[in-house]
Amino acid sequence: MGKRRRRYWLLKTEPEEWSWEDQRSNGGVSTWDGVRNRQAINHMKAMRAGDRCFFYHSGAAARRVVGVVEVVKPWYTIAAGGEDGAVDVRSLGEMRKPVELREIKAEAEAEAMKGFALLKQPRLSVVPVPEGIWERICEMGGGYGDAAAEEEEEKEKEKEKEAAPSSPEEEEQDE
């Protein structure tokens, strides 16, 4: 069976509660917990190690994508009953230029962000990000992290594309 493709997400946080600076100063790895909305929890339960997430500052002062983290530990329960849980994430890099919500909305008018859950369900704290939208937001922000990390990610994407079956028949053979 083939390797699961990386998925992309957006994690919202109030900067007063947990900021990008907090994430970086924490050695880069932190537990992402405190999510109460059922739909957001289901998104977190769908996350796997290696998935990438935009780190998004919400709140009135600054609504913007400020960095990128990677899931290093998928969903696990942190309390009896299994309802309270978390994922662990590791900082990959700060956006070279934060991408403001107003910029994302402007792109939506031009169809580039059509269907993006951030715009359709603005109060949801964890949302999936389609790959094309992920790439567009990274482009709008001038990338993230250092050039070596981005180059490595591009190489990994190329390997995934080469390894992906090109037809349904090939996909069936992999199973």
Side-chain angles (χ1 to χ4, degrees), residues 49-97:
D51 284 358
R52 302 276 165 93
C53 310
F54 284 129
F55 193 102
Y56 181 91
H57 280 170
S58 59
R63 294 182 179 139
R64 59 187 175 195
V65 175
V66 295
V68 174
V69 295
E70 180 177 54
V71 176
V72 293
K73 184 176 181 183
W75 178 266
Y76 58 96
T77 57
I78 55 176
E83 288 304 310
D84 290 332
V87 297
D88 289 352
V89 295
R90 173 178 58 92
S91 301
L92 290 182
E94 188 169 0
M95 299 299 285
R96 289 193 173 84
K97 173 191 164 297

mmCIF file of all heavy atoms in Angstrom, residues 49-97:
data_model
loop_
_atom_site.group_PDB
_atom_site.id
_atom_site.type_symbol
_atom_site.label_atom_id
_atom_site.label_comp_id
_atom_site.label_asym_id
_atom_site.label_seq_id
_atom_site.Cartn_x
_atom_site.Cartn_y
_atom_site.Cartn_z
ATOM 1 N N ALA A 49 1.504 12.393 11.642
ATOM 2 C CA ALA A 49 2.876 12.908 11.711
ATOM 3 C C ALA A 49 3.332 13.280 10.306
ATOM 4 O O ALA A 49 3.101 12.534 9.356
ATOM 5 C CB ALA A 49 3.803 11.872 12.329
ATOM 6 N N GLY A 50 3.936 14.431 10.197
ATOM 7 C CA GLY A 50 4.413 14.914 8.901
ATOM 8 C C GLY A 50 3.474 15.899 8.234
ATOM 9 O O GLY A 50 3.876 16.611 7.312
ATOM 10 N N ASP A 51 2.215 15.960 8.677
ATOM 11 C CA ASP A 51 1.302 16.961 8.129
ATOM 12 C C ASP A 51 1.801 18.347 8.518
ATOM 13 O O ASP A 51 2.438 18.522 9.557
ATOM 14 C CB ASP A 51 -0.121 16.767 8.664
ATOM 15 C CG ASP A 51 -0.853 15.597 8.022
ATOM 16 O OD1 ASP A 51 -0.287 14.942 7.118
ATOM 17 O OD2 ASP A 51 -2.001 15.343 8.429
ATOM 18 N N ARG A 52 1.522 19.325 7.672
ATOM 19 C CA ARG A 52 1.959 20.701 7.918
ATOM 20 C C ARG A 52 0.752 21.564 8.272
ATOM 21 O O ARG A 52 -0.345 21.349 7.770
ATOM 22 C CB ARG A 52 2.636 21.280 6.674
ATOM 23 C CG ARG A 52 3.844 20.484 6.190
ATOM 24 C CD ARG A 52 5.086 20.873 6.952
ATOM 25 N NE ARG A 52 6.176 19.944 6.793
ATOM 26 C CZ ARG A 52 7.137 20.039 5.891
ATOM 27 N NH1 ARG A 52 7.133 21.017 5.025
ATOM 28 N NH2 ARG A 52 8.105 19.158 5.864
ATOM 29 N N CYS A 53 0.993 22.550 9.126
ATOM 30 C CA CYS A 53 -0.075 23.441 9.581
ATOM 31 C C CYS A 53 0.396 24.892 9.537
ATOM 32 O O CYS A 53 1.508 25.194 9.971
ATOM 33 C CB CYS A 53 -0.480 23.134 11.016
ATOM 34 S SG CYS A 53 -0.822 21.411 11.381
ATOM 35 N N PHE A 54 -0.472 25.752 9.029
ATOM 36 C CA PHE A 54 -0.219 27.180 9.192
ATOM 37 C C PHE A 54 -0.496 27.538 10.645
ATOM 38 O O PHE A 54 -1.462 27.065 11.233
ATOM 39 C CB PHE A 54 -1.127 28.016 8.286
ATOM 40 C CG PHE A 54 -0.725 28.020 6.843
ATOM 41 C CD1 PHE A 54 -1.660 27.736 5.868
ATOM 42 C CD2 PHE A 54 0.564 28.327 6.454
ATOM 43 C CE1 PHE A 54 -1.315 27.749 4.536
ATOM 44 C CE2 PHE A 54 0.924 28.346 5.121
ATOM 45 C CZ PHE A 54 -0.020 28.058 4.160
ATOM 46 N N PHE A 55 0.338 28.361 11.211
ATOM 47 C CA PHE A 55 0.169 28.899 12.554
ATOM 48 C C PHE A 55 -0.462 30.264 12.352
ATOM 49 O O PHE A 55 0.160 31.180 11.811
ATOM 50 C CB PHE A 55 1.545 29.006 13.230
ATOM 51 C CG PHE A 55 1.510 29.251 14.703
ATOM 52 C CD1 PHE A 55 1.743 28.202 15.583
ATOM 53 C CD2 PHE A 55 1.276 30.512 15.223
ATOM 54 C CE1 PHE A 55 1.750 28.414 16.960
ATOM 55 C CE2 PHE A 55 1.272 30.731 16.588
ATOM 56 C CZ PHE A 55 1.505 29.678 17.466
ATOM 57 N N TYR A 56 -1.722 30.399 12.766
ATOM 58 C CA TYR A 56 -2.527 31.575 12.459
ATOM 59 C C TYR A 56 -2.870 32.338 13.731
ATOM 60 O O TYR A 56 -3.441 31.767 14.651
ATOM 61 C CB TYR A 56 -3.815 31.116 11.760
ATOM 62 C CG TYR A 56 -4.763 32.203 11.345
ATOM 63 C CD1 TYR A 56 -4.666 32.781 10.077
ATOM 64 C CD2 TYR A 56 -5.782 32.632 12.179
ATOM 65 C CE1 TYR A 56 -5.558 33.765 9.680
ATOM 66 C CE2 TYR A 56 -6.672 33.611 11.788
ATOM 67 C CZ TYR A 56 -6.554 34.176 10.534
ATOM 68 O OH TYR A 56 -7.439 35.155 10.139
ATOM 69 N N HIS A 57 -2.500 33.623 13.762
ATOM 70 C CA HIS A 57 -2.894 34.479 14.872
ATOM 71 C C HIS A 57 -4.287 35.009 14.597
ATOM 72 O O HIS A 57 -4.528 35.630 13.566
ATOM 73 C CB HIS A 57 -1.928 35.651 15.028
ATOM 74 C CG HIS A 57 -0.675 35.302 15.743
ATOM 75 N ND1 HIS A 57 0.385 36.164 15.809
ATOM 76 C CD2 HIS A 57 -0.299 34.199 16.438
ATOM 77 C CE1 HIS A 57 1.367 35.604 16.514
ATOM 78 N NE2 HIS A 57 0.966 34.407 16.900
ATOM 79 N N SER A 58 -5.219 34.742 15.540
ATOM 80 C CA SER A 58 -6.578 35.247 15.409
ATOM 81 C C SER A 58 -6.761 36.395 16.393
ATOM 82 O O SER A 58 -5.828 36.790 17.077
ATOM 83 C CB SER A 58 -7.588 34.129 15.657
ATOM 84 O OG SER A 58 -7.414 33.593 16.950
ATOM 85 N N GLY A 59 -7.956 36.906 16.483
ATOM 86 C CA GLY A 59 -8.227 38.018 17.380
ATOM 87 C C GLY A 59 -8.307 39.317 16.620
ATOM 88 O O GLY A 59 -7.947 39.405 15.448
ATOM 89 N N ALA A 60 -8.791 40.331 17.288
ATOM 90 C CA ALA A 60 -9.046 41.611 16.630
ATOM 91 C C ALA A 60 -7.771 42.311 16.156
ATOM 92 O O ALA A 60 -7.772 42.980 15.126
ATOM 93 C CB ALA A 60 -9.821 42.516 17.576
ATOM 94 N N ALA A 61 -6.687 42.173 16.896
ATOM 95 C CA ALA A 61 -5.469 42.923 16.586
ATOM 96 C C ALA A 61 -4.754 42.441 15.327
ATOM 97 O O ALA A 61 -4.268 43.247 14.539
ATOM 98 C CB ALA A 61 -4.513 42.876 17.768
ATOM 99 N N ALA A 62 -4.687 41.129 15.136
ATOM 100 C CA ALA A 62 -3.890 40.616 14.019
ATOM 101 C C ALA A 62 -4.425 39.269 13.561
ATOM 102 O O ALA A 62 -4.196 38.260 14.224
ATOM 103 C CB ALA A 62 -2.439 40.487 14.439
ATOM 104 N N ARG A 63 -5.104 39.255 12.450
ATOM 105 C CA ARG A 63 -5.586 37.996 11.870
ATOM 106 C C ARG A 63 -4.691 37.681 10.686
ATOM 107 O O ARG A 63 -4.849 38.261 9.610
ATOM 108 C CB ARG A 63 -7.043 38.143 11.437
ATOM 109 C CG ARG A 63 -7.963 38.340 12.596
ATOM 110 C CD ARG A 63 -9.400 38.435 12.153
ATOM 111 N NE ARG A 63 -10.236 38.596 13.317
ATOM 112 C CZ ARG A 63 -11.265 39.403 13.374
ATOM 113 N NH1 ARG A 63 -11.623 40.101 12.320
ATOM 114 N NH2 ARG A 63 -11.974 39.499 14.478
ATOM 115 N N ARG A 64 -3.767 36.723 10.916
ATOM 116 C CA ARG A 64 -2.805 36.444 9.851
ATOM 117 C C ARG A 64 -2.057 35.144 10.085
ATOM 118 O O ARG A 64 -1.905 34.679 11.206
ATOM 119 C CB ARG A 64 -1.819 37.587 9.731
ATOM 120 C CG ARG A 64 -1.052 37.839 11.007
ATOM 121 C CD ARG A 64 -0.218 39.074 10.885
ATOM 122 N NE ARG A 64 0.413 39.365 12.166
ATOM 123 C CZ ARG A 64 0.964 40.501 12.468
ATOM 124 N NH1 ARG A 64 0.995 41.466 11.582
ATOM 125 N NH2 ARG A 64 1.522 40.683 13.638
ATOM 126 N N VAL A 65 -1.568 34.581 8.983
ATOM 127 C CA VAL A 65 -0.690 33.414 9.020
ATOM 128 C C VAL A 65 0.710 33.933 9.323
ATOM 129 O O VAL A 65 1.225 34.788 8.600
ATOM 130 C CB VAL A 65 -0.707 32.654 7.670
ATOM 131 C CG1 VAL A 65 0.304 31.522 7.675
ATOM 132 C CG2 VAL A 65 -2.103 32.138 7.350
ATOM 133 N N VAL A 66 1.317 33.417 10.393
ATOM 134 C CA VAL A 66 2.628 33.915 10.802
ATOM 135 C C VAL A 66 3.740 32.880 10.709
ATOM 136 O O VAL A 66 4.915 33.235 10.715
ATOM 137 C CB VAL A 66 2.595 34.509 12.232
ATOM 138 C CG1 VAL A 66 1.702 35.740 12.280
ATOM 139 C CG2 VAL A 66 2.148 33.475 13.245
ATOM 140 N N GLY A 67 3.378 31.587 10.636
ATOM 141 C CA GLY A 67 4.411 30.564 10.598
ATOM 142 C C GLY A 67 3.859 29.220 10.173
ATOM 143 O O GLY A 67 2.670 29.081 9.864
ATOM 144 N N VAL A 68 4.744 28.230 10.166
ATOM 145 C CA VAL A 68 4.385 26.864 9.778
ATOM 146 C C VAL A 68 4.929 25.904 10.826
ATOM 147 O O VAL A 68 6.077 26.034 11.266
ATOM 148 C CB VAL A 68 4.953 26.505 8.383
ATOM 149 C CG1 VAL A 68 4.712 25.042 8.049
ATOM 150 C CG2 VAL A 68 4.343 27.413 7.319
ATOM 151 N N VAL A 69 4.069 24.961 11.228
ATOM 152 C CA VAL A 69 4.466 23.900 12.150
ATOM 153 C C VAL A 69 4.174 22.565 11.486
ATOM 154 O O VAL A 69 3.406 22.481 10.524
ATOM 155 C CB VAL A 69 3.730 23.997 13.510
ATOM 156 C CG1 VAL A 69 4.114 25.266 14.246
ATOM 157 C CG2 VAL A 69 2.221 23.898 13.345
ATOM 158 N N GLU A 70 4.809 21.524 12.000
ATOM 159 C CA GLU A 70 4.612 20.167 11.502
ATOM 160 C C GLU A 70 4.094 19.301 12.642
ATOM 161 O O GLU A 70 4.559 19.416 13.774
ATOM 162 C CB GLU A 70 5.937 19.619 10.992
ATOM 163 C CG GLU A 70 5.840 18.204 10.456
ATOM 164 C CD GLU A 70 7.166 17.733 9.885
ATOM 165 O OE1 GLU A 70 8.192 17.793 10.613
ATOM 166 O OE2 GLU A 70 7.174 17.332 8.722
ATOM 167 N N VAL A 71 3.136 18.445 12.335
ATOM 168 C CA VAL A 71 2.626 17.512 13.333
ATOM 169 C C VAL A 71 3.712 16.462 13.586
ATOM 170 O O VAL A 71 4.188 15.821 12.657
ATOM 171 C CB VAL A 71 1.323 16.829 12.849
ATOM 172 C CG1 VAL A 71 0.852 15.785 13.858
ATOM 173 C CG2 VAL A 71 0.238 17.861 12.590
ATOM 174 N N VAL A 72 4.125 16.333 14.850
ATOM 175 C CA VAL A 72 5.138 15.332 15.199
ATOM 176 C C VAL A 72 4.542 14.176 15.999
ATOM 177 O O VAL A 72 5.150 13.119 16.093
ATOM 178 C CB VAL A 72 6.343 15.951 15.952
ATOM 179 C CG1 VAL A 72 7.130 16.877 15.032
ATOM 180 C CG2 VAL A 72 5.917 16.675 17.221
ATOM 181 N N LYS A 73 3.368 14.398 16.578
ATOM 182 C CA LYS A 73 2.671 13.332 17.295
ATOM 183 C C LYS A 73 1.182 13.502 17.019
ATOM 184 O O LYS A 73 0.591 14.512 17.388
ATOM 185 C CB LYS A 73 2.961 13.409 18.797
ATOM 186 C CG LYS A 73 2.331 12.266 19.600
ATOM 187 C CD LYS A 73 2.731 12.355 21.065
ATOM 188 C CE LYS A 73 2.119 11.212 21.866
ATOM 189 N NZ LYS A 73 2.444 11.341 23.296
ATOM 190 N N PRO A 74 0.564 12.510 16.363
ATOM 191 C CA PRO A 74 -0.864 12.632 16.059
ATOM 192 C C PRO A 74 -1.721 12.569 17.319
ATOM 193 O O PRO A 74 -1.219 12.349 18.418
ATOM 194 C CB PRO A 74 -1.143 11.449 15.131
ATOM 195 C CG PRO A 74 -0.029 10.501 15.326
ATOM 196 C CD PRO A 74 1.138 11.266 15.873
ATOM 197 N N TRP A 75 -3.008 12.753 17.133
ATOM 198 C CA TRP A 75 -3.991 12.827 18.221
ATOM 199 C C TRP A 75 -3.753 11.792 19.313
ATOM 200 O O TRP A 75 -3.530 10.615 19.039
ATOM 201 C CB TRP A 75 -5.384 12.644 17.647
ATOM 202 C CG TRP A 75 -6.463 12.663 18.675
ATOM 203 C CD1 TRP A 75 -7.011 11.577 19.298
ATOM 204 C CD2 TRP A 75 -7.119 13.797 19.222
ATOM 205 N NE1 TRP A 75 -7.969 11.977 20.195
ATOM 206 C CE2 TRP A 75 -8.060 13.347 20.173
ATOM 207 C CE3 TRP A 75 -7.007 15.172 19.016
ATOM 208 C CZ2 TRP A 75 -8.885 14.194 20.893
ATOM 209 C CZ3 TRP A 75 -7.827 16.023 19.730
ATOM 210 C CH2 TRP A 75 -8.746 15.533 20.653
ATOM 211 N N TYR A 76 -3.788 12.239 20.531
ATOM 212 C CA TYR A 76 -3.746 11.363 21.687
ATOM 213 C C TYR A 76 -4.623 11.985 22.770
ATOM 214 O O TYR A 76 -4.813 13.202 22.796
ATOM 215 C CB TYR A 76 -2.316 11.139 22.189
ATOM 216 C CG TYR A 76 -1.572 12.400 22.570
ATOM 217 C CD1 TYR A 76 -1.532 12.837 23.894
ATOM 218 C CD2 TYR A 76 -0.893 13.156 21.617
ATOM 219 C CE1 TYR A 76 -0.843 13.987 24.251
ATOM 220 C CE2 TYR A 76 -0.206 14.310 21.964
ATOM 221 C CZ TYR A 76 -0.186 14.720 23.279
ATOM 222 O OH TYR A 76 0.499 15.866 23.634
ATOM 223 N N THR A 77 -5.174 11.140 23.621
ATOM 224 C CA THR A 77 -6.033 11.645 24.691
ATOM 225 C C THR A 77 -5.189 12.101 25.862
ATOM 226 O O THR A 77 -4.131 11.532 26.143
ATOM 227 C CB THR A 77 -7.060 10.589 25.151
ATOM 228 O OG1 THR A 77 -6.366 9.428 25.567
ATOM 229 C CG2 THR A 77 -8.025 10.240 24.035
ATOM 230 N N ILE A 78 -5.677 13.145 26.529
ATOM 231 C CA ILE A 78 -4.942 13.684 27.679
ATOM 232 C C ILE A 78 -5.770 13.647 28.952
ATOM 233 O O ILE A 78 -5.326 14.121 29.981
ATOM 234 C CB ILE A 78 -4.435 15.124 27.395
ATOM 235 C CG1 ILE A 78 -5.565 16.046 26.972
ATOM 236 C CG2 ILE A 78 -3.331 15.100 26.367
ATOM 237 C CD1 ILE A 78 -5.160 17.496 26.771
ATOM 238 N N ALA A 79 -6.980 13.082 28.851
ATOM 239 C CA ALA A 79 -7.828 12.947 30.035
ATOM 240 C C ALA A 79 -8.695 11.709 29.890
ATOM 241 O O ALA A 79 -8.931 11.226 28.780
ATOM 242 C CB ALA A 79 -8.702 14.188 30.199
ATOM 243 N N ALA A 80 -9.168 11.205 30.984
ATOM 244 C CA ALA A 80 -10.045 10.026 30.966
ATOM 245 C C ALA A 80 -11.288 10.320 30.134
ATOM 246 O O ALA A 80 -11.782 11.437 30.105
ATOM 247 C CB ALA A 80 -10.431 9.658 32.396
ATOM 248 N N GLY A 81 -11.764 9.317 29.442
ATOM 249 C CA GLY A 81 -12.958 9.480 28.622
ATOM 250 C C GLY A 81 -12.654 9.718 27.162
ATOM 251 O O GLY A 81 -13.520 9.579 26.317
ATOM 252 N N GLY A 82 -11.440 10.116 26.851
ATOM 253 C CA GLY A 82 -11.023 10.244 25.462
ATOM 254 C C GLY A 82 -11.500 11.469 24.715
ATOM 255 O O GLY A 82 -11.219 11.637 23.546
ATOM 256 N N GLU A 83 -12.242 12.365 25.364
ATOM 257 C CA GLU A 83 -12.736 13.547 24.660
ATOM 258 C C GLU A 83 -11.699 14.660 24.595
ATOM 259 O O GLU A 83 -11.665 15.410 23.633
ATOM 260 C CB GLU A 83 -14.026 14.055 25.298
ATOM 261 C CG GLU A 83 -15.211 13.161 25.033
ATOM 262 C CD GLU A 83 -15.481 12.920 23.543
ATOM 263 O OE1 GLU A 83 -15.547 13.901 22.774
ATOM 264 O OE2 GLU A 83 -15.601 11.753 23.150
ATOM 265 N N ASP A 84 -10.896 14.810 25.645
ATOM 266 C CA ASP A 84 -9.862 15.837 25.634
ATOM 267 C C ASP A 84 -8.596 15.233 25.059
ATOM 268 O O ASP A 84 -8.123 14.208 25.530
ATOM 269 C CB ASP A 84 -9.588 16.354 27.048
ATOM 270 C CG ASP A 84 -10.733 17.178 27.585
ATOM 271 O OD1 ASP A 84 -11.448 17.792 26.776
ATOM 272 O OD2 ASP A 84 -10.909 17.208 28.813
ATOM 273 N N GLY A 85 -8.067 15.887 24.050
ATOM 274 C CA GLY A 85 -6.870 15.369 23.416
ATOM 275 C C GLY A 85 -6.034 16.471 22.822
ATOM 276 O O GLY A 85 -6.333 17.662 22.972
ATOM 277 N N ALA A 86 -4.996 16.064 22.132
ATOM 278 C CA ALA A 86 -4.047 17.020 21.585
ATOM 279 C C ALA A 86 -3.256 16.386 20.452
ATOM 280 O O ALA A 86 -3.280 15.166 20.260
ATOM 281 C CB ALA A 86 -3.084 17.478 22.679
ATOM 282 N N VAL A 87 -2.553 17.235 19.718
ATOM 283 C CA VAL A 87 -1.500 16.808 18.811
ATOM 284 C C VAL A 87 -0.261 17.608 19.213
ATOM 285 O O VAL A 87 -0.383 18.693 19.779
ATOM 286 C CB VAL A 87 -1.845 17.054 17.315
ATOM 287 C CG1 VAL A 87 -3.053 16.250 16.889
ATOM 288 C CG2 VAL A 87 -2.052 18.528 17.010
ATOM 289 N N ASP A 88 0.906 17.064 18.962
ATOM 290 C CA ASP A 88 2.135 17.813 19.202
ATOM 291 C C ASP A 88 2.641 18.347 17.875
ATOM 292 O O ASP A 88 2.618 17.635 16.857
ATOM 293 C CB ASP A 88 3.204 16.925 19.845
ATOM 294 C CG ASP A 88 2.877 16.560 21.290
ATOM 295 O OD1 ASP A 88 1.908 17.115 21.849
ATOM 296 O OD2 ASP A 88 3.591 15.713 21.856
ATOM 297 N N VAL A 89 3.078 19.609 17.892
ATOM 298 C CA VAL A 89 3.572 20.251 16.680
ATOM 299 C C VAL A 89 4.957 20.847 16.929
ATOM 300 O O VAL A 89 5.295 21.220 18.052
ATOM 301 C CB VAL A 89 2.603 21.347 16.173
ATOM 302 C CG1 VAL A 89 1.274 20.748 15.737
ATOM 303 C CG2 VAL A 89 2.370 22.432 17.216
ATOM 304 N N ARG A 90 5.722 20.911 15.853
ATOM 305 C CA ARG A 90 7.098 21.448 15.901
ATOM 306 C C ARG A 90 7.205 22.593 14.902
ATOM 307 O O ARG A 90 6.742 22.488 13.758
ATOM 308 C CB ARG A 90 8.084 20.340 15.530
ATOM 309 C CG ARG A 90 9.526 20.790 15.382
ATOM 310 C CD ARG A 90 10.430 19.610 15.055
ATOM 311 N NE ARG A 90 10.057 18.895 13.862
ATOM 312 C CZ ARG A 90 10.534 19.147 12.636
ATOM 313 N NH1 ARG A 90 11.400 20.100 12.455
ATOM 314 N NH2 ARG A 90 10.144 18.424 11.607
ATOM 315 N N SER A 91 7.830 23.676 15.316
ATOM 316 C CA SER A 91 8.025 24.830 14.436
ATOM 317 C C SER A 91 8.916 24.465 13.264
ATOM 318 O O SER A 91 9.969 23.855 13.451
ATOM 319 C CB SER A 91 8.692 25.982 15.195
ATOM 320 O OG SER A 91 7.926 26.362 16.285
ATOM 321 N N LEU A 92 8.494 24.870 12.071
ATOM 322 C CA LEU A 92 9.339 24.708 10.885
ATOM 323 C C LEU A 92 9.905 26.040 10.445
ATOM 324 O O LEU A 92 11.020 26.095 9.951
ATOM 325 C CB LEU A 92 8.553 24.078 9.738
ATOM 326 C CG LEU A 92 8.170 22.621 9.909
ATOM 327 C CD1 LEU A 92 7.438 22.117 8.670
ATOM 328 C CD2 LEU A 92 9.386 21.752 10.188
ATOM 329 N N GLY A 93 9.132 27.095 10.587
ATOM 330 C CA GLY A 93 9.658 28.397 10.204
ATOM 331 C C GLY A 93 8.608 29.477 10.192
ATOM 332 O O GLY A 93 7.414 29.211 10.081
ATOM 333 N N GLU A 94 9.086 30.683 10.327
ATOM 334 C CA GLU A 94 8.235 31.864 10.301
ATOM 335 C C GLU A 94 8.011 32.289 8.856
ATOM 336 O O GLU A 94 8.911 32.167 8.020
ATOM 337 C CB GLU A 94 8.938 32.978 11.077
ATOM 338 C CG GLU A 94 8.102 34.196 11.296
ATOM 339 C CD GLU A 94 8.741 35.160 12.285
ATOM 340 O OE1 GLU A 94 9.846 34.875 12.799
ATOM 341 O OE2 GLU A 94 8.132 36.200 12.528
ATOM 342 N N MET A 95 6.814 32.771 8.562
ATOM 343 C CA MET A 95 6.547 33.304 7.227
ATOM 344 C C MET A 95 7.474 34.508 7.027
ATOM 345 O O MET A 95 7.658 35.312 7.940
ATOM 346 C CB MET A 95 5.087 33.745 7.081
ATOM 347 C CG MET A 95 4.077 32.620 7.264
ATOM 348 S SD MET A 95 4.218 31.258 6.096
ATOM 349 C CE MET A 95 3.529 31.974 4.625
ATOM 350 N N ARG A 96 8.041 34.619 5.860
ATOM 351 C CA ARG A 96 8.915 35.765 5.583
ATOM 352 C C ARG A 96 8.122 37.063 5.642
ATOM 353 O O ARG A 96 8.624 38.106 6.016
ATOM 354 C CB ARG A 96 9.587 35.594 4.236
ATOM 355 C CG ARG A 96 10.633 34.493 4.286
ATOM 356 C CD ARG A 96 11.544 34.494 3.071
ATOM 357 N NE ARG A 96 12.602 33.539 3.284
ATOM 358 C CZ ARG A 96 12.492 32.233 3.036
ATOM 359 N NH1 ARG A 96 11.367 31.765 2.545
ATOM 360 N NH2 ARG A 96 13.487 31.420 3.273
ATOM 361 N N LYS A 97 6.842 36.964 5.257
ATOM 362 C CA LYS A 97 5.917 38.091 5.349
ATOM 363 C C LYS A 97 4.589 37.510 5.832
ATOM 364 O O LYS A 97 4.030 36.632 5.175
ATOM 365 C CB LYS A 97 5.729 38.727 3.971
ATOM 366 C CG LYS A 97 4.669 39.787 3.902
ATOM 367 C CD LYS A 97 4.387 40.133 2.428
ATOM 368 C CE LYS A 97 3.115 40.886 2.236
ATOM 369 N NZ LYS A 97 1.901 40.205 2.613
#
